[in-house]
Amino acid sequence: MSEPKRLRVGMVGYAFMGAAHSHAWRTAPRFFDLPLVPELTAVAGRNPDGVRAAATKYGWDSVETDWRRLIERDDIDLIDICTPGNTHAEIAIAALEAGKHVLCEKPLANSVEEAEKMTAVAQAAAERGVLSMCGFSYRRTPALALAKRMVEEGRLGDIRHVRAQYLQDWLSDADAPLTWRLDKSKSGSGSLGDIGAHSIDAAQWITGSTITGVSALLETFVKERPVGGDFVGLGGRGGSDAPKGPVTVDDAALFTARFAGKHDDGAAAGTDSGAVAGPIGIFEATRFALGRKNAMRLELNGTKGSLAFDFEDMNSLQFYDSALEPDAGFRKIIVTEPSHPYTGNWWPTGHGLGYEHGFTHQVVDLVNAIGAGEQPSPSFADALQVQKVLAAVEASAGNASRWQNV
Protein backbone atom coordinates (compact mmCIF):
# COMPACT_ATOMS: atom_id res chain seq x y z
CA MET A 1 0.00 0.00 0.00
CA SER A 2 1.35 3.43 -0.96
CA GLU A 3 2.39 5.93 1.66
CA PRO A 4 -0.06 8.82 2.32
CA LYS A 5 0.94 12.13 0.79
CA ARG A 6 2.55 14.73 3.01
CA LEU A 7 1.03 18.03 4.09
CA ARG A 8 3.97 20.31 4.75
CA VAL A 9 3.04 22.99 7.27
CA GLY A 10 4.55 26.42 7.81
CA MET A 11 3.43 28.17 10.99
CA VAL A 12 3.64 31.93 11.67
CA GLY A 13 3.91 32.73 15.38
CA TYR A 14 5.07 30.46 18.18
CA ALA A 15 3.66 31.71 21.50
CA PHE A 16 0.50 30.41 23.25
CA MET A 17 -1.43 29.43 20.11
CA GLY A 18 1.76 28.37 18.36
CA ALA A 19 2.44 25.85 21.11
CA ALA A 20 -1.12 24.49 20.95
CA HIS A 21 -1.03 24.21 17.16
CA SER A 22 2.43 22.59 17.16
CA HIS A 23 1.19 19.91 19.55
CA ALA A 24 -1.86 19.33 17.34
CA TRP A 25 0.06 18.95 14.07
CA ARG A 26 2.47 16.54 15.73
CA THR A 27 -0.19 14.48 17.52
CA ALA A 28 -3.07 14.20 15.02
CA PRO A 29 -1.55 11.58 12.68
CA ARG A 30 -0.55 9.40 15.63
CA PHE A 31 -4.12 8.92 16.84
CA PHE A 32 -6.20 9.40 13.67
CA ASP A 33 -5.92 7.88 10.20
CA LEU A 34 -5.47 10.86 7.90
CA PRO A 35 -5.36 11.11 4.10
CA LEU A 36 -2.32 13.39 4.35
CA VAL A 37 0.48 13.22 6.91
CA PRO A 38 1.25 16.63 8.45
CA GLU A 39 4.90 17.58 8.66
CA LEU A 40 6.20 20.43 10.84
CA THR A 41 8.33 21.91 8.07
CA ALA A 42 9.02 25.48 9.21
CA VAL A 43 8.02 28.04 11.82
CA ALA A 44 8.39 31.81 11.41
CA GLY A 45 8.90 34.53 14.01
CA ARG A 46 10.60 37.92 14.15
CA ASN A 47 12.92 37.09 17.05
CA PRO A 48 15.72 34.82 15.74
CA ASP A 49 16.61 33.36 19.13
CA GLY A 50 12.98 32.93 20.14
CA VAL A 51 11.89 31.21 16.95
CA ARG A 52 14.88 28.86 16.99
CA ALA A 53 14.13 27.91 20.60
CA ALA A 54 10.49 27.29 19.71
CA ALA A 55 11.44 25.16 16.71
CA THR A 56 13.64 22.98 18.90
CA LYS A 57 11.07 22.72 21.67
CA TYR A 58 8.04 21.97 19.48
CA GLY A 59 9.70 19.91 16.77
CA TRP A 60 9.80 22.15 13.69
CA ASP A 61 12.41 21.28 11.06
CA SER A 62 13.48 24.82 10.13
CA VAL A 63 12.90 28.50 10.90
CA GLU A 64 12.27 31.78 9.12
CA THR A 65 12.34 35.30 10.55
CA ASP A 66 10.03 36.73 7.88
CA TRP A 67 6.65 35.15 7.16
CA ARG A 68 6.99 36.16 3.51
CA ARG A 69 9.89 33.75 3.08
CA LEU A 70 7.66 31.01 4.48
CA ILE A 71 5.07 31.65 1.77
CA GLU A 72 7.72 31.73 -0.96
CA ARG A 73 9.05 28.28 -0.06
CA ASP A 74 8.19 25.42 -2.43
CA ASP A 75 8.26 22.89 0.41
CA ILE A 76 5.27 24.45 2.23
CA ASP A 77 1.69 23.39 1.44
CA LEU A 78 -0.22 25.11 4.26
CA ILE A 79 0.24 28.29 6.27
CA ASP A 80 -0.94 28.22 9.90
CA ILE A 81 -1.44 31.76 11.26
CA CYS A 82 -0.99 32.09 15.05
CA THR A 83 -0.24 35.81 15.25
CA PRO A 84 -2.14 38.85 16.63
CA GLY A 85 -5.24 39.83 14.67
CA ASN A 86 -3.75 42.90 12.98
CA THR A 87 -1.54 40.62 10.85
CA HIS A 88 -4.11 37.99 9.83
CA ALA A 89 -5.41 39.61 6.66
CA GLU A 90 -2.06 40.35 5.05
CA ILE A 91 -0.62 36.89 5.77
CA ALA A 92 -3.74 34.92 4.83
CA ILE A 93 -4.35 36.79 1.57
CA ALA A 94 -0.72 36.42 0.49
CA ALA A 95 -0.71 32.71 1.34
CA LEU A 96 -3.96 31.94 -0.49
CA GLU A 97 -2.89 33.87 -3.57
CA ALA A 98 0.38 31.88 -3.52
CA GLY A 99 -1.60 28.63 -3.59
CA LYS A 100 -1.12 27.67 0.05
CA HIS A 101 -3.95 26.28 2.17
CA VAL A 102 -4.56 28.42 5.28
CA LEU A 103 -5.53 27.82 8.89
CA CYS A 104 -6.08 31.18 10.61
CA GLU A 105 -6.64 31.72 14.31
CA LYS A 106 -9.74 33.57 15.50
CA PRO A 107 -11.11 36.14 15.34
CA LEU A 108 -10.54 36.17 11.59
CA ALA A 109 -9.44 39.82 11.48
CA ASN A 110 -9.61 43.12 13.35
CA SER A 111 -12.43 44.57 11.24
CA VAL A 112 -15.33 43.54 9.04
CA GLU A 113 -13.61 45.15 6.06
CA GLU A 114 -10.50 43.01 6.51
CA ALA A 115 -12.60 39.89 7.06
CA GLU A 116 -14.61 40.58 3.90
CA LYS A 117 -11.42 40.86 1.84
CA MET A 118 -10.09 37.63 3.33
CA THR A 119 -13.37 35.85 2.62
CA ALA A 120 -13.45 37.02 -1.01
CA VAL A 121 -9.88 35.82 -1.58
CA ALA A 122 -10.65 32.53 0.17
CA GLN A 123 -13.69 31.90 -2.01
CA ALA A 124 -11.71 32.59 -5.16
CA ALA A 125 -8.90 30.34 -3.96
CA ALA A 126 -11.34 27.51 -3.18
CA GLU A 127 -12.32 27.46 -6.85
CA ARG A 128 -8.68 26.57 -7.56
CA GLY A 129 -8.64 23.87 -4.86
CA VAL A 130 -6.86 26.03 -2.26
CA LEU A 131 -8.75 25.73 1.03
CA SER A 132 -8.97 27.75 4.23
CA MET A 133 -10.41 27.49 7.72
CA CYS A 134 -10.71 29.71 10.81
CA GLY A 135 -9.59 28.18 14.11
CA PHE A 136 -12.60 28.21 16.42
CA SER A 137 -11.23 25.23 18.34
CA TYR A 138 -14.08 24.90 20.86
CA ARG A 139 -16.19 23.39 18.08
CA ARG A 140 -13.95 20.34 18.47
CA THR A 141 -14.66 19.82 22.17
CA PRO A 142 -16.46 16.43 22.20
CA ALA A 143 -19.23 17.61 24.54
CA LEU A 144 -20.04 20.64 22.38
CA ALA A 145 -19.91 18.53 19.21
CA LEU A 146 -22.34 16.12 20.91
CA ALA A 147 -24.57 19.08 21.82
CA LYS A 148 -24.73 20.09 18.16
CA ARG A 149 -25.61 16.54 17.17
CA MET A 150 -28.42 16.43 19.72
CA VAL A 151 -29.83 19.77 18.52
CA GLU A 152 -29.74 18.54 14.92
CA GLU A 153 -31.57 15.37 15.98
CA GLY A 154 -34.35 17.51 17.40
CA ARG A 155 -33.75 16.47 21.01
CA LEU A 156 -34.35 20.04 22.23
CA GLY A 157 -37.17 20.95 19.85
CA ASP A 158 -37.22 24.61 18.86
CA ILE A 159 -34.56 26.61 20.70
CA ARG A 160 -35.95 29.50 22.77
CA HIS A 161 -33.04 30.65 24.93
CA VAL A 162 -29.27 30.82 24.41
CA ARG A 163 -27.18 31.70 27.46
CA ALA A 164 -23.44 32.09 26.88
CA GLN A 165 -20.67 33.15 29.24
CA TYR A 166 -16.91 33.12 28.91
CA LEU A 167 -15.37 33.93 32.29
CA GLN A 168 -11.67 34.24 33.13
CA ASP A 169 -9.76 36.10 35.85
CA TRP A 170 -6.18 36.52 34.58
CA LEU A 171 -6.55 40.30 34.15
CA SER A 172 -8.26 41.00 37.47
CA ASP A 173 -4.99 42.26 39.01
CA ALA A 174 -4.79 45.96 38.10
CA ASP A 175 -0.99 45.63 38.09
CA ALA A 176 -0.90 42.94 35.38
CA PRO A 177 1.34 44.16 32.54
CA LEU A 178 0.21 45.74 29.30
CA THR A 179 0.38 43.04 26.60
CA TRP A 180 -0.62 43.10 22.93
CA ARG A 181 -4.03 41.72 23.89
CA LEU A 182 -4.76 45.08 25.55
CA ASP A 183 -3.80 47.13 22.49
CA LYS A 184 -6.72 47.62 20.11
CA SER A 185 -4.42 48.26 17.14
CA LYS A 186 -3.08 44.71 17.51
CA SER A 187 -5.96 42.72 19.03
CA GLY A 188 -9.00 44.50 17.57
CA SER A 189 -10.92 44.25 20.84
CA GLY A 190 -10.49 42.85 24.34
CA SER A 191 -12.56 40.20 26.05
CA LEU A 192 -15.15 40.62 23.27
CA GLY A 193 -12.95 39.32 20.45
CA ASP A 194 -10.47 37.30 22.47
CA ILE A 195 -12.96 35.03 24.23
CA GLY A 196 -16.44 36.32 23.40
CA ALA A 197 -15.88 35.39 19.75
CA HIS A 198 -15.69 31.73 20.82
CA SER A 199 -19.09 31.97 22.50
CA ILE A 200 -20.64 33.68 19.48
CA ASP A 201 -19.31 31.05 17.09
CA ALA A 202 -20.31 28.13 19.32
CA ALA A 203 -23.83 29.49 19.84
CA GLN A 204 -24.42 30.07 16.13
CA TRP A 205 -22.87 26.73 15.15
CA ILE A 206 -24.79 24.59 17.65
CA THR A 207 -28.15 26.28 17.11
CA GLY A 208 -27.69 26.46 13.34
CA SER A 209 -28.93 30.06 13.52
CA THR A 210 -27.14 33.37 13.07
CA ILE A 211 -27.35 36.41 15.34
CA THR A 212 -29.34 39.18 13.65
CA GLY A 213 -29.18 41.99 16.20
CA VAL A 214 -27.66 43.00 19.55
CA SER A 215 -27.82 45.51 22.40
CA ALA A 216 -24.49 45.80 24.18
CA LEU A 217 -22.34 47.20 26.97
CA LEU A 218 -18.53 47.29 26.99
CA GLU A 219 -16.49 48.26 30.04
CA THR A 220 -12.80 48.89 30.69
CA PHE A 221 -12.19 48.65 34.42
CA VAL A 222 -8.44 49.37 34.43
CA LYS A 223 -7.52 52.24 32.11
CA GLU A 224 -3.72 52.02 32.43
CA ARG A 225 -1.24 49.21 33.08
CA PRO A 226 2.53 48.81 33.54
CA VAL A 227 4.38 48.58 30.22
CA GLY A 228 6.91 46.10 31.59
CA GLY A 229 7.17 43.47 34.30
CA ASP A 230 7.19 39.73 34.80
CA PHE A 231 5.10 37.97 32.17
CA VAL A 232 3.53 34.69 33.27
CA GLY A 233 1.08 32.88 31.02
CA LEU A 234 -1.24 35.46 29.47
CA GLY A 235 -0.70 37.97 32.27
CA GLY A 236 1.86 38.39 35.04
CA ARG A 237 2.91 41.19 37.36
CA GLY A 238 3.94 44.68 36.31
CA GLY A 239 7.07 46.31 37.62
CA SER A 240 6.41 48.67 40.52
CA ASP A 241 8.41 51.47 38.88
CA ALA A 242 7.48 50.67 35.29
CA PRO A 243 5.85 53.40 33.20
CA LYS A 244 2.18 52.85 32.38
CA GLY A 245 0.41 52.81 29.06
CA PRO A 246 -3.27 53.05 28.11
CA VAL A 247 -5.56 50.03 27.85
CA THR A 248 -7.45 50.56 24.60
CA VAL A 249 -9.77 47.52 24.62
CA ASP A 250 -12.73 46.34 26.66
CA ASP A 251 -12.20 44.37 29.87
CA ALA A 252 -15.76 43.03 29.82
CA ALA A 253 -18.54 42.68 27.26
CA LEU A 254 -22.25 42.06 27.84
CA PHE A 255 -24.97 41.91 25.20
CA THR A 256 -28.42 40.61 24.46
CA ALA A 257 -29.08 39.09 21.06
CA ARG A 258 -31.78 37.85 18.74
CA PHE A 259 -31.17 34.91 16.43
CA ALA A 260 -32.71 34.34 13.02
CA GLY A 261 -35.87 32.26 13.07
CA LYS A 262 -36.79 29.43 10.74
CA HIS A 263 -37.58 30.74 7.25
CA ASP A 264 -36.37 34.14 8.50
CA ASP A 265 -35.09 36.25 5.59
CA GLY A 266 -34.06 39.14 7.81
CA ALA A 267 -37.54 40.62 8.16
CA ALA A 268 -38.73 41.75 11.56
CA ALA A 269 -40.10 39.06 13.85
CA GLY A 270 -43.79 38.45 13.35
CA THR A 271 -44.02 39.68 9.74
CA ASP A 272 -44.25 36.13 8.37
CA SER A 273 -47.07 34.13 9.89
CA GLY A 274 -45.36 30.90 8.80
CA ALA A 275 -42.04 31.69 10.47
CA VAL A 276 -40.90 30.35 13.83
CA ALA A 277 -39.24 33.06 15.91
CA GLY A 278 -35.57 32.49 16.56
CA PRO A 279 -33.98 32.20 20.00
CA ILE A 280 -33.15 35.16 22.19
CA GLY A 281 -29.74 35.17 23.82
CA ILE A 282 -27.53 36.78 26.42
CA PHE A 283 -23.75 36.81 26.18
CA GLU A 284 -21.06 37.78 28.68
CA ALA A 285 -17.29 37.81 28.31
CA THR A 286 -14.82 39.00 30.93
CA ARG A 287 -11.28 38.45 32.10
CA PHE A 288 -12.14 39.92 35.54
CA ALA A 289 -14.27 37.11 37.04
CA LEU A 290 -12.19 36.17 40.08
CA GLY A 291 -12.07 32.42 40.58
CA ARG A 292 -13.13 31.57 37.03
CA LYS A 293 -10.18 30.21 35.11
CA ASN A 294 -11.68 29.19 31.78
CA ALA A 295 -15.43 28.97 32.27
CA MET A 296 -16.66 28.87 28.68
CA ARG A 297 -20.34 28.12 29.33
CA LEU A 298 -23.28 27.56 27.04
CA GLU A 299 -26.89 26.69 27.88
CA LEU A 300 -29.72 26.11 25.41
CA ASN A 301 -33.40 25.84 26.40
CA GLY A 302 -35.82 24.44 23.85
CA THR A 303 -39.42 23.30 23.63
CA LYS A 304 -38.49 19.67 24.40
CA GLY A 305 -35.36 19.92 26.53
CA SER A 306 -32.22 21.75 27.55
CA LEU A 307 -28.45 21.38 27.29
CA ALA A 308 -25.75 22.98 29.47
CA PHE A 309 -21.94 22.94 29.15
CA ASP A 310 -19.04 24.40 31.12
CA PHE A 311 -15.49 24.00 29.83
CA GLU A 312 -14.18 23.80 33.38
CA ASP A 313 -15.95 20.41 33.37
CA MET A 314 -15.24 19.82 29.71
CA ASN A 315 -15.80 16.05 29.56
CA SER A 316 -19.45 16.28 30.53
CA LEU A 317 -22.68 17.64 29.08
CA GLN A 318 -25.81 18.36 31.10
CA PHE A 319 -29.07 17.29 29.40
CA TYR A 320 -32.73 17.60 30.36
CA ASP A 321 -35.44 15.76 28.40
CA SER A 322 -38.89 17.01 29.41
CA ALA A 323 -40.63 13.92 28.01
CA LEU A 324 -38.47 11.34 29.80
CA GLU A 325 -37.81 13.18 33.06
CA PRO A 326 -40.53 15.80 33.57
CA ASP A 327 -40.16 15.77 37.37
CA ALA A 328 -36.36 15.55 37.46
CA GLY A 329 -33.56 17.95 36.68
CA PHE A 330 -30.58 17.73 34.39
CA ARG A 331 -28.66 14.49 34.02
CA LYS A 332 -24.94 14.36 33.39
CA ILE A 333 -23.56 12.71 30.23
CA ILE A 334 -19.89 11.76 30.53
CA VAL A 335 -18.66 12.38 26.97
CA THR A 336 -15.97 9.70 26.75
CA GLU A 337 -17.77 6.88 24.90
CA PRO A 338 -16.64 5.60 21.48
CA SER A 339 -20.02 6.73 20.11
CA HIS A 340 -19.27 10.35 21.04
CA PRO A 341 -17.51 12.75 18.65
CA TYR A 342 -13.74 12.20 18.39
CA THR A 343 -13.35 10.24 21.65
CA GLY A 344 -13.14 6.76 20.13
CA ASN A 345 -9.62 7.52 18.87
CA TRP A 346 -8.27 8.23 22.33
CA TRP A 347 -8.53 6.43 25.69
CA PRO A 348 -10.83 3.80 27.19
CA THR A 349 -14.29 4.89 28.34
CA GLY A 350 -14.21 7.31 31.27
CA HIS A 351 -10.71 8.64 30.62
CA GLY A 352 -11.19 12.32 29.86
CA LEU A 353 -9.57 14.65 27.37
CA GLY A 354 -8.05 18.11 27.84
CA TYR A 355 -7.74 21.56 26.29
CA GLU A 356 -5.13 20.49 23.76
CA HIS A 357 -7.34 17.83 22.19
CA GLY A 358 -9.61 20.43 20.60
CA PHE A 359 -6.68 21.63 18.51
CA THR A 360 -5.82 18.07 17.51
CA HIS A 361 -9.40 17.49 16.38
CA GLN A 362 -9.22 20.78 14.47
CA VAL A 363 -6.22 19.47 12.54
CA VAL A 364 -8.01 16.17 11.91
CA ASP A 365 -11.06 17.88 10.42
CA LEU A 366 -8.94 20.27 8.35
CA VAL A 367 -6.68 17.56 6.93
CA ASN A 368 -9.65 15.31 6.12
CA ALA A 369 -11.32 18.19 4.28
CA ILE A 370 -8.17 19.01 2.31
CA GLY A 371 -7.72 15.34 1.45
CA ALA A 372 -11.30 15.16 0.17
CA GLY A 373 -11.08 18.51 -1.63
CA GLU A 374 -14.00 19.84 0.44
CA GLN A 375 -14.48 23.18 2.19
CA PRO A 376 -13.48 22.81 5.87
CA SER A 377 -15.63 24.32 8.60
CA PRO A 378 -15.68 26.97 9.93
CA SER A 379 -14.95 28.72 6.64
CA PHE A 380 -13.75 32.30 6.38
CA ALA A 381 -17.37 33.15 5.51
CA ASP A 382 -18.49 31.63 8.83
CA ALA A 383 -15.81 33.65 10.64
CA LEU A 384 -16.92 36.80 8.79
CA GLN A 385 -20.38 36.37 10.32
CA VAL A 386 -18.78 36.31 13.80
CA GLN A 387 -16.80 39.43 12.87
CA LYS A 388 -20.04 41.20 11.94
CA VAL A 389 -21.50 40.35 15.35
CA LEU A 390 -18.38 41.73 17.07
CA ALA A 391 -18.71 44.94 15.08
CA ALA A 392 -22.42 45.24 15.92
CA VAL A 393 -21.65 44.81 19.63
CA GLU A 394 -19.06 47.59 19.51
CA ALA A 395 -21.43 49.84 17.56
CA SER A 396 -24.27 49.29 20.04
CA ALA A 397 -22.03 49.85 23.06
CA GLY A 398 -20.77 53.07 21.51
CA ASN A 399 -24.33 54.29 20.95
CA ALA A 400 -25.88 54.04 24.43
CA SER A 401 -26.65 50.31 23.96
CA ARG A 402 -29.19 51.00 21.22
CA TRP A 403 -30.31 48.02 19.18
CA GLN A 404 -27.88 47.28 16.36
CA ASN A 405 -28.73 45.00 13.45
CA VAL A 406 -25.96 42.63 12.34
Side-chain angles (χ1 to χ4, degrees), residues 33-69:
D33 295 326
L34 301 178
L36 306 167
V37 177
E39 291 186 354
L40 284 69
T41 302
V43 58
R46 290 174 298 178
N47 183 311
D49 293 336
V51 72
R52 281 194 291 267
T56 299
K57 183 175 183 178
Y58 301 132
W60 293 88
D61 292 338
S62 60
V63 302
E64 298 286 354
T65 54
D66 186 333
W67 60 263
R68 297 169 183 83
R69 304 290 84 77

Coordinates of all heavy atoms in Angstrom, one line a residue, residues 33-69:
D33 N -6.3 8.2 11.6 CA -5.9 7.9 10.2 C -6.3 9.0 9.3 O -7.5 9.4 9.1 CB -6.6 6.6 9.7 CG -6.2 5.4 10.5 OD1 -5.0 5.3 11.0 OD2 -7.1 4.5 10.7
L34 N -5.3 9.7 8.7 CA -5.5 10.9 7.9 C -5.1 10.6 6.5 O -4.1 9.8 6.2 CB -4.7 12.0 8.5 CG -5.0 12.4 9.9 CD1 -4.0 13.6 10.3 CD2 -6.4 12.9 10.0
P35 N -5.7 11.3 5.5 CA -5.4 11.1 4.1 C -4.0 11.8 3.7 O -3.4 11.4 2.7 CB -6.5 11.8 3.4 CG -7.0 12.8 4.3 CD -6.9 12.2 5.7
L36 N -3.6 12.7 4.5 CA -2.3 13.4 4.4 C -1.6 13.4 5.7 O -2.2 13.5 6.7 CB -2.5 14.8 3.9 CG -3.4 15.1 2.6 CD1 -3.7 16.5 2.5 CD2 -2.6 14.6 1.4
V37 N -0.3 13.2 5.7 CA 0.5 13.2 6.9 C 1.1 14.6 7.1 O 2.0 15.0 6.4 CB 1.6 12.2 6.9 CG1 2.4 12.2 8.1 CG2 1.0 10.8 6.7
P38 N 0.7 15.3 8.2 CA 1.2 16.6 8.4 C 2.7 16.5 8.8 O 3.1 15.6 9.6 CB 0.4 17.2 9.6 CG -0.8 16.4 9.6 CD -0.4 15.0 9.1
E39 N 3.5 17.5 8.3 CA 4.9 17.6 8.7 C 5.2 19.0 9.1 O 4.7 20.0 8.5 CB 5.8 17.3 7.5 CG 5.8 15.8 7.0 CD 6.8 15.5 6.0 OE1 7.4 16.4 5.4 OE2 6.9 14.3 5.6
L40 N 5.9 19.1 10.3 CA 6.2 20.4 10.8 C 7.4 20.9 10.1 O 8.6 20.8 10.6 CB 6.4 20.3 12.3 CG 5.2 20.2 13.2 CD1 4.5 18.8 13.0 CD2 5.5 20.3 14.7
T41 N 7.2 21.6 9.0 CA 8.3 21.9 8.1 C 9.1 23.2 8.5 O 10.3 23.2 8.5 CB 7.8 22.1 6.6 OG1 7.2 20.8 6.2 CG2 8.9 22.4 5.7
A42 N 8.3 24.2 8.8 CA 9.0 25.5 9.2 C 8.1 26.3 10.1 O 6.9 26.3 9.9 CB 9.4 26.2 8.0
V43 N 8.7 27.1 11.0 CA 8.0 28.0 11.8 C 8.7 29.4 11.7 O 9.9 29.5 11.5 CB 8.0 27.6 13.3 CG1 9.4 27.4 13.8 CG2 7.2 28.6 14.2
A44 N 7.9 30.5 11.6 CA 8.4 31.8 11.4 C 8.1 32.7 12.6 O 7.0 32.6 13.2 CB 7.8 32.4 10.2
G45 N 9.1 33.5 12.9 CA 8.9 34.5 14.0 C 10.0 35.6 13.9 O 11.0 35.3 13.3
R46 N 9.7 36.8 14.4 CA 10.6 37.9 14.1 C 11.9 37.8 15.0 O 12.9 38.4 14.6 CB 9.9 39.2 14.4 CG 8.8 39.6 13.4 CD 8.0 40.8 13.8 NE 7.3 40.6 15.1 CZ 6.6 41.5 15.7 NH1 6.5 42.7 15.2 NH2 6.0 41.3 16.8
N47 N 11.8 37.2 16.1 CA 12.9 37.1 17.0 C 13.7 35.8 16.7 O 13.3 34.7 16.9 CB 12.4 37.0 18.5 CG 13.5 37.0 19.5 OD1 14.5 36.2 19.4 ND2 13.4 37.8 20.5
P48 N 14.9 36.0 16.2 CA 15.7 34.8 15.7 C 16.0 33.8 16.9 O 15.8 32.6 16.7 CB 17.0 35.4 15.2 CG 16.7 36.8 14.9 CD 15.7 37.3 15.9
D49 N 16.4 34.3 18.0 CA 16.6 33.4 19.1 C 15.3 32.7 19.6 O 15.3 31.5 19.9 CB 17.3 34.1 20.3 CG 18.7 34.6 20.0 OD1 19.3 34.0 19.1 OD2 19.1 35.6 20.6
G50 N 14.2 33.5 19.7 CA 13.0 32.9 20.1 C 12.4 31.9 19.2 O 11.9 30.9 19.6
V51 N 12.5 32.2 17.9 CA 11.9 31.2 17.0 C 12.7 29.9 16.9 O 12.2 28.8 16.7 CB 11.7 31.9 15.6 CG1 13.0 32.1 14.8 CG2 10.7 31.1 14.7
R52 N 14.0 30.1 17.0 CA 14.9 28.9 17.0 C 14.6 28.0 18.2 O 14.5 26.8 18.1 CB 16.4 29.2 16.9 CG 16.8 29.6 15.5 CD 18.4 29.6 15.4 NE 18.9 30.8 16.2 CZ 19.2 32.0 15.6 NH1 18.9 32.2 14.4 NH2 19.7 32.9 16.4
A53 N 14.4 28.6 19.4 CA 14.1 27.9 20.6 C 12.8 27.2 20.5 O 12.6 26.1 20.9 CB 14.1 28.9 21.8
A54 N 11.8 27.9 19.9 CA 10.5 27.3 19.7 C 10.5 26.1 18.7 O 9.9 25.1 19.0 CB 9.5 28.3 19.2
A55 N 11.3 26.3 17.7 CA 11.4 25.2 16.7 C 12.0 23.9 17.4 O 11.5 22.8 17.1 CB 12.3 25.6 15.5
T56 N 13.0 24.1 18.2 CA 13.6 23.0 18.9 C 12.7 22.4 19.9 O 12.5 21.1 20.0 CB 14.9 23.4 19.6 OG1 15.8 24.0 18.7 CG2 15.5 22.3 20.4
K57 N 12.0 23.2 20.6 CA 11.1 22.7 21.7 C 9.9 22.0 21.1 O 9.4 20.9 21.6 CB 10.6 23.9 22.5 CG 9.7 23.5 23.7 CD 9.4 24.8 24.5 CE 8.5 24.4 25.8 NZ 8.3 25.6 26.6
Y58 N 9.3 22.5 20.0 CA 8.0 22.0 19.5 C 8.2 21.0 18.3 O 7.2 20.4 17.8 CB 7.1 23.1 19.1 CG 6.8 24.0 20.3 CD1 6.8 25.4 20.1 CD2 6.4 23.5 21.5 CE1 6.5 26.2 21.2 CE2 6.1 24.3 22.6 CZ 6.2 25.7 22.4 OH 5.9 26.5 23.5
G59 N 9.4 20.9 17.8 CA 9.7 19.9 16.8 C 9.6 20.4 15.3 O 9.3 19.6 14.4
W60 N 9.8 21.7 15.1 CA 9.8 22.1 13.7 C 11.2 22.0 13.0 O 12.2 22.1 13.7 CB 9.4 23.6 13.7 CG 8.0 23.8 14.1 CD1 7.5 24.0 15.4 CD2 6.8 23.8 13.3 NE1 6.1 24.1 15.4 CE2 5.7 24.0 14.1 CE3 6.6 23.7 11.9 CZ2 4.4 24.0 13.6 CZ3 5.4 23.7 11.4 CH2 4.3 23.9 12.2
D61 N 11.2 21.6 11.8 CA 12.4 21.3 11.1 C 13.3 22.5 10.7 O 14.5 22.4 10.7 CB 12.1 20.6 9.7 CG 11.5 19.2 10.0 OD1 11.7 18.6 11.1 OD2 10.8 18.7 9.1
S62 N 12.7 23.7 10.5 CA 13.5 24.8 10.1 C 12.8 26.1 10.6 O 11.6 26.0 11.0 CB 13.7 24.9 8.6 OG 12.5 24.9 7.9
V63 N 13.5 27.2 10.4 CA 12.9 28.5 10.9 C 13.1 29.6 9.8 O 13.9 29.5 8.9 CB 13.6 29.0 12.2 CG1 13.4 28.0 13.3 CG2 15.0 29.3 12.0
E64 N 12.2 30.6 9.9 CA 12.3 31.8 9.1 C 12.0 33.0 10.0 O 11.3 32.8 11.0 CB 11.2 31.8 8.0 CG 11.4 30.7 7.0 CD 12.6 30.9 6.0 OE1 13.2 32.0 6.1 OE2 12.9 30.0 5.2
T65 N 12.6 34.1 9.7 CA 12.3 35.3 10.5 C 11.4 36.3 9.8 O 11.2 37.4 10.3 CB 13.7 36.0 10.9 OG1 14.4 36.2 9.8 CG2 14.5 35.1 11.9
D66 N 11.0 35.9 8.6 CA 10.0 36.7 7.9 C 9.0 35.8 7.3 O 9.3 34.9 6.6 CB 10.8 37.5 6.7 CG 9.9 38.5 6.0 OD1 8.7 38.3 6.0 OD2 10.4 39.4 5.4
W67 N 7.7 36.0 7.6 CA 6.7 35.1 7.2 C 6.6 35.1 5.6 O 6.1 34.1 5.1 CB 5.3 35.5 7.8 CG 4.8 36.9 7.5 CD1 4.9 38.0 8.2 CD2 4.1 37.3 6.3 NE1 4.3 39.1 7.6 CE2 3.8 38.7 6.4 CE3 3.6 36.7 5.1 CZ2 3.1 39.4 5.5 CZ3 2.9 37.4 4.2 CH2 2.7 38.8 4.3
R68 N 7.0 36.1 5.0 CA 7.0 36.2 3.5 C 7.9 35.1 2.9 O 7.6 34.5 1.9 CB 7.4 37.5 3.0 CG 6.4 38.6 3.4 CD 7.0 40.0 3.1 NE 6.1 41.1 3.6 CZ 6.1 41.5 4.8 NH1 6.9 41.0 5.7 NH2 5.3 42.5 5.2
R69 N 9.0 34.8 3.6 CA 9.9 33.7 3.1 C 9.2 32.4 3.2 O 9.4 31.5 2.4 CB 11.2 33.7 3.9 CG 12.0 35.0 3.9 CD 12.6 35.4 2.6 NE 11.7 36.0 1.7 CZ 11.3 37.3 1.8 NH1 11.8 38.1 2.7 NH2 10.5 37.9 0.9

